[in-house]
Amino acid sequence: MAIKMRVLHASKKKKILDMAKMIHAKYELAINAVDTIPPAYSCNNERLVVLMLSLKGDPEDQVRLFCRELTKARAQNVALVIDGNEAAANKMKAILQEAGTNVADEVHYVKCAFLPFLDKITPDEQEALLAFVQRTIDNLQ
């Protein structure tokens, strides 16, 4: 199933980038479909944007500013994959909803280790992430 989808990340953690690449491969997305925030190519009428963020407290300015501009014309639906807590995820949801895009109710939380060599994606984490993305696609508005 082809879907117009982007996976954007704001994290220095290798696990987040590896997960973004995994989604890219699974859904055979366009070459430039995985990018950092702010992306090199602007979002335009994307069916789904998956935001993969490492958050501690308030989001970084560039992430917050990008999300404030993620209107329905740019992204009809947004899903969040968060390395952080529920309070941080709720702040991001509020920013995105204020911009006018539809934000998926479910947030997928991941735990990233502080040490890079401990940041491998387990088979259970891979299965959970891909199931989350599939559920999100199945429930698109």
Side-chain angles (χ1 to χ4, degrees):
M1 163 174 73
I3 182 168
K4 191 166 184 208
M5 177 165 79
R6 301 274 298 271
V7 181
L8 303 176
H9 56 89
S11 177
K12 303 219 182 317
K13 296 180 180 173
K14 183 180 182 311
K15 187 175 192 175
I16 296 289
L17 182 56
D18 289 346
M19 287 179 153
K21 290 177 182 175
M22 188 185 341
I23 295 169
H24 182 269
K26 166 78 174 164
Y27 291 96
E28 300 174 354
L29 303 176
I31 292 170
N32 65 347
V34 173
D35 206 347
T36 58
I37 295 174
Y41 300 95
S42 66
C43 293
N44 184 23
N45 202 26
E46 303 292 338
R47 186 91 162 95
L48 174 63
V49 173
V50 178
L51 295 178
M52 306 186 75
L53 310 170
S54 288
L55 297 173
K56 287 186 178 22
D58 290 329
E60 295 178 18
D61 284 345
Q62 66 183 8
V63 172
R64 188 176 40 75
L65 292 172
F66 172 77
C67 290
R68 275 200 174 137
E69 295 175 357
L70 212 50
T71 63
K72 204 123 176 116
R74 291 187 172 169
Q76 297 168 20
N77 299 278
V78 174
L80 295 172
V81 176
I82 303 290
D83 168 28
N85 61 29
E86 190 174 341
N90 288 336
K91 285 181 185 179
M92 286 309 305
K93 276 183 161 183
I95 291 168
L96 290 161
Q97 288 167 339
E98 193 177 301
T101 189
N102 177 53
V103 183
D105 290 334
E106 183 183 0
V107 174
H108 184 73
Y109 294 95
V110 296
K111 295 281 184 213
C112 292
F114 292 107
L115 302 172
F117 58 87
L118 295 175
D119 244 3
K120 298 285 186 231
I121 301 169
T122 67
D124 287 346
E125 288 174 322
Q126 178 177 348
E127 186 179 320
L129 175 67
L130 294 177
F132 164 75
V133 173
Q134 190 58 54
R135 277 193 308 277
T136 303
I137 291 170
D138 293 345
N139 294 324
L140 289 180
Q141 291 189 355

